[in-house]
Amino acid sequence: MKRIKYLAMAAAVICMTAGSAFAQDKPKEEKKEGYIFTTVKENPITSIKNQGSSGTCWCFSTTSFLESEAIKAGKADTTLNLSEWYSVFYNYYDKFLKYVRLDGYLNLAEGGSFDDVIHTFKDYGVVLNDQMPELRNGEKRINMKEMSAVSHAFAKGMTQLKGQISDNYKAAYKAILETYMGKLPESVEYRGVKYTPKEFVSKGLGLNMSDYVSLTSFTHHPFYTQFAIEVPDNWRWDLSYNIPIEDLMAVIDNAINNGYTVAWASDVSEVGFTRNGIGVVPDVEANTKAIGSDQERWVGRDPNAKREEIYNLSRPGKELEITQELRQQGYDNKTTTDDHGMHLFGIAKDQNGTKYYMIKNSWGKTGKYDGIWYISETFVKYKTMDIMVNKNAVPKEIRKKL
């Protein structure tokens, strides 16, 4: 009986020891909260689109912006779907003509600017997407590779001709575009009324193309004057008002808080602009120091986890302090470039109270937020190239200075 009692006691001790060892071998992982956003102000937008394999973000973002303008004017709702490719067609045609006139000394790429869409809405109008749908060439997603190769080769060939050229080259280039993008519609029927494409802009959508202004913020030109932003995609050499960065941020906030939205051009090549719907400018030095003071919790951990902490990729962290000088430095040393155009439509805050802007992207329903990005106020302040807004969204005190 005693032997049995001792065996039972020994078994109990073994079980307790094993349980203790097991607890030490498998420490409880620290639970990360991640990013948690609360919407502060959100203005209506249309559905998320996908630009596919094309450099047409400038058109997708501006078209989305103008769709929201039509909604604000009371002429449409969130189901409105305008054709980006109608604008792409005419912009590429206009760019081709200028390219030939300049003997090839012009950026002949797929990129463009917000003003390009304003020009085409004003000069040519717009149609609905189902009248002139996306260029797919039998593929599942938009792909402009072949069309660009053919049209660019033709344009370059025209600049190599010596002597007089006939007017046939204009029709020939249009034929190339029509081969890939289809014939241009001559009318639009919307809500039971038939319009020409130009009439549709003003009468059907309630838009006035003279209402839109481009704003930027750099110190190599005087503030409260206009200049053509020196980037290759500004091939029309359109002008932007140059204002201090604090004024630019005030314009964005005033627009959102008064029911307007903003076309936003930015650099998205930073580590802090993730493919999962976040855009931040981490203070890498400060975050590294903060982590370095508690090295024990990183022993045996995945090194990627440390990188996520340093760059604020997994949860909010300290961000860099942005100045006008830092913005200019980024522009001058080419760490800030005109990478991407998007549509800014709202304001949100994270769990720490940090301010973010809600951005509609044109990469389809991708990322954690199904095509929406949350971009910190710091990121917008640092990496904005330019914005476009309705002039009525600019605060009166700033408008007086322009």
Side-chain angles (χ1 to χ4, degrees), residues 381-399:
K381 193 174 183 180
Y382 187 23
K383 291 297 175 176
T384 296
M385 288 295 295
D386 61 290
I387 64 171
M388 176 166 283
V389 296
N390 189 307
K391 64 184 181 183
N392 297 306
V394 180
K396 291 181 180 179
E397 59 272 21
I398 296 177
R399 288 179 66 179

Side-chain angles (χ1 to χ4, degrees), residues 113-372:
S113 70
F114 301 140
D115 280 298
D116 291 339
V117 182
I118 300 300
H119 279 287
T120 52
F121 268 53
K122 180 180 179 181
D123 296 339
Y124 306 108
V126 71
V127 300
L128 297 172
N129 189 68
D130 59 6
Q131 294 181 274
M132 196 168 179
E134 296 89 348
L135 169 68
R136 294 185 185 273
N137 296 327
E139 300 183 24
K140 291 183 178 180
R141 59 180 296 174
I142 296 168
N143 191 334
M144 294 182 62
K145 185 177 180 180
E146 184 178 323
M147 189 194 83
S148 294
V150 174
S151 61
H152 291 178
F154 180 85
K156 291 175 182 177
M158 291 305 305
T159 64
Q160 294 171 2
L161 295 176
K162 304 299 181 183
Q164 183 177 343
I165 57 177
S166 73
D167 285 337
N168 292 335
Y169 76 94
K170 298 176 184 178
Y173 189 78
K174 268 191 175 181
I176 292 173
L177 298 181
E178 287 179 346
T179 298
Y180 287 95
M181 287 195 267
K183 293 285 186 179
L184 294 166
E186 296 181 358
S187 64
V188 188
E189 187 169 332
Y190 183 65
R191 292 185 169 181
V193 181
K194 194 172 184 179
Y195 307 95
T196 66
K198 286 188 69 172
E199 289 174 338
F200 182 43
V201 172
S202 58
K203 296 179 180 179
L205 300 175
L207 302 179
N208 181 353
M209 290 300 104
S210 64
D211 280 345
Y212 303 107
V213 293
S214 177
L215 303 165
T216 190
S217 181
F218 292 107
T219 58
H220 64 290
H221 290 279
F223 287 138
Y224 305 112
T225 64
Q226 288 180 292
F227 76 97
I229 300 177
E230 300 96 336
V231 293
D233 283 342
N234 187 20
W235 60 273
R236 290 184 190 270
W237 310 323
D238 279 311
L239 303 178
S240 297
Y241 285 104
N242 192 34
I243 60 178
I245 188 57
E246 299 302 333
D247 281 2
L248 190 73
M249 301 303 292
V251 171
I252 294 174
D253 287 345
N254 190 69
I256 298 302
N257 289 325
N258 285 280
Y260 294 94
T261 64
V262 180
W264 180 57
S266 176
D267 186 308
V268 298
S269 62
E270 306 297 319
V271 174
F273 189 95
T274 76
R275 292 304 180 263
N276 202 31
I278 301 294
V280 292
V281 185
D283 187 334
V284 175
E285 184 177 351
N287 289 343
T288 302
K289 287 181 179 178
I291 290 173
S293 65
D294 187 16
Q295 288 288 352
E296 287 185 6
R297 70 190 180 98
W298 294 104
V299 175
R301 295 278 296 277
D302 184 350
N304 287 330
K306 187 172 183 178
R307 180 175 180 273
E308 288 181 357
E309 290 282 324
I310 291 172
Y311 289 98
N312 303 354
L313 301 181
S314 59
R315 59 180 173 181
K318 185 173 176 57
E319 290 193 82
L320 201 62
E321 192 73 29
I322 306 302
T323 64
Q324 189 80 57
E325 292 71 26
L326 193 61
R327 274 184 54 80
Q328 188 66 38
Q329 182 183 4
Y331 179 83
D332 288 339
N333 65 21
K334 294 293 185 179
T335 57
T336 297
T337 55
D338 60 330
D339 291 344
H340 195 38
M342 290 160 280
H343 183 194
L344 190 157
F345 68 94
I347 295 173
K349 289 189 176 181
D350 69 14
Q351 63 266 44
N352 298 330
T354 303
K355 185 176 175 182
Y356 290 75
Y357 293 100
M358 300 171 70
I359 309 289
K360 175 185 173 183
N361 208 340
S362 54
W363 294 344
K365 288 190 174 183
T366 186
K368 185 176 180 179
Y369 309 105
D370 293 329
I372 301 299

